[in-house]
Amino acid sequence: RIGKPDRIVIIGGGISGLSSAFYLQREAERQGRELELTIVDSAPVFGGKINTLQRDGFVIEKGPDSFLARKLAIIDLATELGLEKELTTTNPGAKKTYILHERKLFPMPAGLVLGIPTEIAPFVKTGLLSWGGKLRALMDLVIPVRKEETDESLGGFLERRVGNQVMRRIAEPLLAGIYAGDLKKLSLLATFPQFAASERKHGSLIRGMQHNRRATAAAGALPAVAKGGTFLTFKGGLSTLVQALDQALSKADRRLGTKVTAIHRNDEHHASAGGSNNETVEGARYEIVLDSGEKLQADRIVMTAPAYNAADLLEPLADCSELRAVNYVSVANVVMAFEKSTFGLDFDGSGFVVPRSEGLRITACTWTSNKWLHTSPDDKVLLRCYVGRSGDEDCVKLPDAELTKAVRRDIEETMGIKAEPNFVEITRLPKSMPQYPVGHVTNMKRLRERFEQELPGVWITGAAFDGVGLPDCIRQGKEAAQAILNP
Ligand code: FAD
């Protein structure tokens, strides 16, 4: 295909696939190079986990609902797409977050960063922990640094540095929102490498996090839009970003509502079929088979499907054991809308998280209409309750009526809410939260190296790799484009 454009097929039209495509297109334009891009997704629309529903004046997120403002890849992308004005931040009057403990809501102590205390006075005063638990946490300031620099579990690390109470009562429920995980199974280096770096550099997790906090404040490098609050979203919901990417990629071919069922290497495929590379494939390295019967020819593939889907497709071509090692947890969320006049509670924060030990179905509850003012009409209340986490996934499969009943029982028990919702929106996301196992970073490096040798032209990326947050997926999409077009 000398002189002809590279044919790149992107598998998955979630944020990872779309941002890979966007940056491939932009980098190709910059280089004055032509590409033939095709994006394939088994779903009928782009977006993957991102799914905004507009209903009765509400903006309801059925998947992710916002993103960390300090991770700039998404703000950069929004800016390139002309969406800066669509960004909005959390209600300044909803800064408080609560943690449930023995069925009572305790405000999260000031200065907590990712569950780690960076201000000692409010931490010492909190009713969330016993005196023993607080003392144990503060021992982090003196206990020795672990000698080995190898990976360990996030839970093991936290228990070692700040003790079991902080891990179970504060860190796990807070971090559960990101991974729905069992901290004892998640990789420290793949989830919060800054924790490990804090221990090594400052001899203490608390001191390290204090240092990071001061350094971030002093740097002042964040653009104005990112300074307003910790989280941002789009006024019309996260699908705004997906629609803008869809438009920006209008020149790319797309196959929606059709699944990739197999990938063949053309050399092997044709050899086994008794042929050889011929005119029709024009030297394309790979043939991608869709369930519609269509076959796409690809010089390069960007694989962004979840690890288990990617492994199903790539295992016949190469060892994918590292992908198989990434388990996925199923979760669901139950969004309920109420009349403000009959709701019976005024919110002064953004919601609460629930430690496992509380034995409830819900793992967290976001007071959405107070946290995000754009999401609801003024006279209404919107709540979003989360269920499902590692070790407690069965509830995700409950029929709608039972799931709603369980969630309503929990919100009555925790907040005293008995009001009848105007409507309930349930979203189940089976096998949606990747759990990076201990050793994940090394595993992924090894997998990429193997693919470079054995599957030239196949680049694998997405939430299963290097960060599950939307900004991380976008950064990885950008890295994919760079790696492919500037090898
Ligand atoms: P996906 O969105 O999963 O896209 C992969 C695509 O591949 C899918 O569309 C799928 O249909 C397609 N696919 C799979 N197999 C095939 C096949 N064989 N053929 C064709 N297509 C295929 N992150 C945040 O930053 N903030 C949040 O608030 C937040 N909340 C979250 C809440 C929930 C409930 C969940 C599940 C995740 C949340 N996340 C959040 C994480 C974030 O949403 C995801 O990590 C991210 O959207 C993943 O994007 P992706 O493109 O890598 O994968």
Side-chain angles (χ1 to χ4, degrees):
R1 294 207 23 117
I2 293 169
K4 295 204 177 158
D6 270 1
R7 291 158 293 187
I8 306 184
V9 174
I10 294 156
I11 303 178
I15 193 65
S16 299
L18 293 177
S19 37
S20 301
F22 176 79
Y23 286 112
L24 277 167
Q25 179 176 280
R26 214 197 50 177
E27 180 61 17
E29 274 163 17
R30 198 187 64 79
Q31 293 183 12
R33 191 168 154 178
E34 253 190 90
L35 297 179
E36 278 175 21
L37 288 179
T38 308
I39 312 168
V40 187
D41 201 299
S42 46
V45 288
F46 282 145
K49 304 279 183 299
I50 300 176
N51 181 3
T52 310
L53 169 75
Q54 310 267 355
R55 173 174 174 178
D56 304 346
F58 294 94
V59 180
I60 296 172
E61 296 290 3
K62 294 170 82 64
D65 75 343
S66 56
F67 53 86
L68 266 178
R70 68 182 162 75
K71 293 198 169 182
L72 298 181
I74 189 162
I75 296 180
D76 292 346
L77 177 60
T79 308
E80 292 193 54
L81 293 165
L83 295 176
E84 313 94 295
K85 292 215 165 66
E86 299 303 313
L87 288 167
T88 183
T89 185
T90 36
N91 171 12
K95 288 227 159 78
K96 265 193 194 167
T97 303
Y98 291 83
I99 302 183
L100 193 70
H101 175 55
E102 295 176 345
R103 296 293 197 271
K104 283 218 298 275
L105 293 176
F106 288 81
M108 206 163 77
L112 223 58
V113 177
L114 295 168
I116 310 306
T118 62
E119 291 175 31
I120 304 303
F123 177 73
V124 171
K125 283 190 208 140
T126 181
L128 270 170
L129 305 167
S130 69
W131 281 109
K134 291 173 197 172
L135 268 177
R136 174 62 189 83
L138 296 178
M139 275 170 61
D140 164 71
L141 296 165
V142 292
I143 56 177
V145 170
R146 177 177 179 252
K147 292 212 175 62
E148 310 86 76
E149 294 193 1
T150 49
D151 199 7
E152 62 183 311
S153 78
L154 176 58
F157 170 86
L158 289 172
E159 207 165 27
R160 190 163 61 68
R161 293 301 326 174
V162 288
N164 187 275
Q165 270 195 22
V166 168
M167 200 260 287
R168 294 284 178 215
R169 295 188 191 173
I170 299 181
E172 184 167 74
L174 277 178
L175 305 180
I178 313 177
Y179 295 99
D182 176 347
L183 300 198
K184 284 287 181 80
K185 292 189 190 153
L186 288 173
S187 152
L188 172 68
L189 294 181
T191 54
F192 296 100
Q194 68 272 43
F195 286 178
S198 288
E199 179 183 36
R200 273 203 304 280
K201 244 172 108 182
H202 300 273
S204 141
L205 176 57
I206 295 177
R207 268 199 301 273
M209 295 304 281
Q210 286 172 329
H211 170 87
N212 291 354
R213 200 176 163 200
R214 282 192 301 268
T216 312
L222 289 180
V225 66
K227 284 185 183 153
T230 311
F231 295 100
L232 292 172
T233 191
F234 296 91
K235 290 173 203 155
L238 287 166
S239 291
T240 307
L241 181 63
V242 173
Q243 283 150 13
L245 281 166
D246 188 352
Q247 267 181 22
L249 289 165
S250 59
K251 279 194 248 149
D253 262 344
R254 57 218 42 221
R255 300 287 185 281
L256 285 167
T258 177
K259 190 175 160 188
V260 176
T261 53
I263 301 174
H264 302 300
R265 281 180 79 122
N266 274 328
D267 43 1
E268 283 170 14
H269 179 58
H270 285 272
S272 63
S276 58
N277 275 353
N278 58 25
E279 284 303 296
T280 55
V281 300
E282 288 186 60
R285 281 187 184 132
Y286 298 98
E287 179 179 79
I288 295 171
V289 184
L290 308 184
D291 63 359
S292 59
E294 190 184 0
K295 290 176 180 158
L296 302 172
Q297 300 302 321
D299 302 307
R300 293 169 190 281
I301 295 173
V302 184
M303 171 62 81
T304 73
Y308 50 92
N309 293 126
D312 287 346
L313 294 170
L314 295 171
E315 230 157 28
L317 306 179
D319 174 10
C320 290
S321 43
E322 294 85 354
L323 292 177
R324 291 286 180 208
V326 182
N327 286 320
Y328 279 69
V329 166
S330 300
V331 295
N333 56 75
V334 178
V335 172
M336 289 179 283
F338 300 88
E339 291 300 326
K340 202 176 237 174
S341 54
T342 55
F343 187 66
L345 187 73
D346 276 335
F347 295 129
D348 64 347
S350 59
F352 63 94
V353 294
V354 182
R356 281 174 197 269
S357 55
E358 294 294 309
L360 295 182
R361 281 292 193 207
I362 59 169
T363 58
C365 172
T366 304
W367 301 336
T368 307
S369 46
N370 197 48
K371 182 172 181 183
W372 300 105
L373 295 175
H374 67 280
T375 59
S376 316
D378 287 345
D379 58 341
K380 303 283 192 283
V381 169
L382 196 66
L383 284 190
R384 190 180 194 218
C385 295
Y386 299 78
V387 298
R389 60 177 136 202
S390 168
D392 180 19
E393 297 170 71
D394 285 350
C395 51
V396 172
K397 292 190 210 132
L398 288 174
D400 285 5
E402 265 182 68
L403 185 55
T404 307
K405 201 167 148 199
V407 167
R408 289 191 61 192
R409 195 175 46 229
D410 284 358
I411 64 166
E412 182 173 347
E413 215 170 311
T414 49
M415 298 185 286
I417 301 303
K418 291 186 179 157
E420 195 64 37
N422 290 353
F423 66 81
V424 180
E425 280 289 341
I426 295 179
T427 310
R428 292 184 184 77
L429 294 125
K431 291 178 77 179
S432 58
M433 302 288 238
Q435 310 289 301
Y436 298 159
V438 174
H440 182 76
V441 176
T442 331
N443 287 356
M444 291 301 124
K445 192 164 171 278
R446 193 171 53 235
L447 181 82
R448 281 241 169 92
E449 283 166 3
R450 184 178 318 123
F451 279 14
E452 250 169 57
Q453 293 297 314
E454 298 178 19
L455 294 178
V458 175
W459 185 266
I460 178 154
T461 186
F465 273 79
D466 183 21
V468 298
L470 299 170
D472 298 307
C473 293
I474 293 169
R475 168 183 49 78
Q476 293 183 75
K478 200 170 185 177
E479 286 166 4
Q482 286 301 324
I484 290 166
L485 294 184
N486 301 299

